[in-house]
Amino acid sequence: MTDEPLIGPVEAPDLHVMSFNIRRRMPRNRPGSPDRWATRKPLVRRLLAAERPTVLGVQEALDEQVEVVADALGGSHRWVGTGRDPGGHGEACPVYYDDARLELTEWRQLALSATPGEHGSRSWGNLTRRVVVSAEFTDRATGGRLHVFNTHLDHLSRRSRLQSARMIAGLAHAAHLDEPEAAIVVTGDFNADERSAVHRRLTGDGVLRDAWDATGEQLTPEWGTFSNYGPRRRGGRRIDLILVGGAAEVTHAGINAARFEGRAASDHEPVQAVLRHRSNDEAAGGREEAG
């Protein structure tokens, strides 16, 4: 018997996108803590095995956790991204993708800093290193192009979050200028909600929009995405987001507040969306209307 997915595997032309902060493995937990990785690991496996998104942006993944996620997704999924520390270790923000559906054409990892090409660099007041992983794909089924960015913004420094948001918005804008007919997806834990200056900076130039607001159908209530293992909270802050741009059209979106025998797989709820790549004519028509 398999667990019931919120969305589950999809077929072309649909693309199932998920963002999931899986919570890093902590070295010590009190007895019975819901935060214990040994307790949560099978729950993460169950959730991902049921959903099997086409694209998954993960945050807070340590080395073993990166492998656990890959194993749960199945044999055709691959990933790109390394740890954020100078040697490539530490927490990672990997982008997973179904290689049977998407052909990876390029990827890179940048530090969220004034020197983005310097791996492990820090700026803007954040003590913790932060990164963005970008990946470019060609859809094997439709031929459409897809740009994906995955990140985890700083939890303490507002200045760092704002500067990082500006940098990511700039990357999305550059991708749109380079390939106007491509779909763009940004996944991440932004440590700032939909009413924040960070959100406005990400969406302010009109390239990116919040998938939750852009969707034709919301599959769930608007749960807060940071539960800290507590009950689901309707109307809470959405700090985990999927943003879309370019030729990406959102047909469904949801916040997966699944519980397994009353237990949560992470202190964050994953967010999910189903996208379709608008045709060239539709995308061009949208640009003419906007002009």
Side-chain angles (χ1 to χ4, degrees):
M1 176 176 166
T2 59
D3 294 296
E4 186 70 22
L6 177 64
I7 294 174
V10 299
E11 296 182 357
D14 290 350
L15 290 165
H16 177 184
V17 176
M18 175 188 280
S19 182
F20 191 13
N21 182 331
I22 64 168
R23 175 62 169 165
R24 66 190 183 277
R25 181 189 67 251
M26 300 302 290
R28 296 181 183 85
N29 291 116
R30 69 183 186 276
S33 170
D35 198 36
R36 293 181 66 246
W37 175 240
T39 302
R40 298 190 299 106
K41 179 163 62 172
L43 309 185
V44 169
R45 287 182 180 274
R46 286 171 64 178
L47 193 154
L48 293 176
E51 297 296 344
R52 298 196 65 219
T54 321
V55 174
L56 168 63
V58 163
Q59 301 86 40
E60 289 199 28
L62 297 175
D63 289 350
E64 179 221 350
Q65 294 175 299
V66 170
E67 297 288 348
V68 167
V69 170
D71 183 64
L73 290 171
S76 64
H77 279 74
R78 306 287 183 265
W79 81 89
V80 292
T82 67
R84 64 193 182 190
D85 294 339
H89 302 294
E91 286 185 31
C93 288
V95 172
Y96 295 83
Y97 62 98
D98 184 353
D99 185 55
R101 175 68 187 278
L102 298 175
E103 177 189 359
L104 178 71
T105 58
E106 187 176 345
W107 80 275
R108 61 178 174 164
Q109 180 166 308
L110 299 173
L112 292 174
S113 78
T115 54
E118 182 182 337
H119 192 89
S121 60
R122 291 177 292 189
S123 303
W124 308 327
N126 52 302
L127 300 177
T128 302
R129 295 178 175 91
R130 299 293 178 182
V131 300
V132 57
V133 175
S134 69
E136 299 177 19
F137 303 96
T138 299
D139 190 325
R140 298 182 191 274
T142 69
R145 291 283 291 159
L146 174 66
H147 293 255
V148 176
F149 302 89
N150 182 44
T151 195
H152 186 186
L153 300 194
D154 199 66
H155 62 307
L156 295 176
S157 172
R158 180 177 184 273
R159 177 171 174 251
S160 174
R161 289 193 296 272
L162 287 169
Q163 291 283 63
S164 298
R166 175 179 292 164
M167 178 176 159
I168 291 166
L171 292 171
H173 186 78
H176 185 55
L177 289 177
D178 186 51
E179 289 193 283
E181 311 304 337
I184 300 171
V185 172
V186 179
T187 57
D189 172 359
F190 293 90
N191 276 306
D193 66 23
E194 69 280 8
R195 297 176 291 274
S196 68
V198 167
H199 193 280
R200 291 192 296 274
R201 188 159 291 184
L202 286 163
T203 59
D205 68 357
V207 172
L208 296 174
R209 56 199 186 278
D210 193 323
W212 180 261
D213 299 321
T215 186
E217 182 180 356
Q218 294 171 347
L219 300 174
T220 68
E222 191 174 3
W223 304 118
T225 65
F226 178 65
S227 71
N228 199 24
Y229 306 108
R232 293 174 286 200
R233 294 179 297 160
R234 188 187 295 263
R237 298 171 64 222
R238 290 191 294 111
I239 66 173
D240 301 85
L241 304 169
I242 295 173
L243 307 175
V244 299
E249 176 185 350
V250 187
T251 63
H252 303 78
I255 300 166
N256 192 338
R259 297 294 184 266
F260 301 92
E261 294 79 46
R263 296 178 296 168
S266 173
D267 57 349
H268 286 249
E269 319 288 15
V271 295
Q272 295 168 243
V274 175
L275 313 180
R276 286 182 184 165
H277 195 289
R278 286 180 296 174
S279 70
N280 291 351
D281 290 343
E282 290 173 319
R287 287 197 307 277
E288 290 171 5
E289 291 172 10

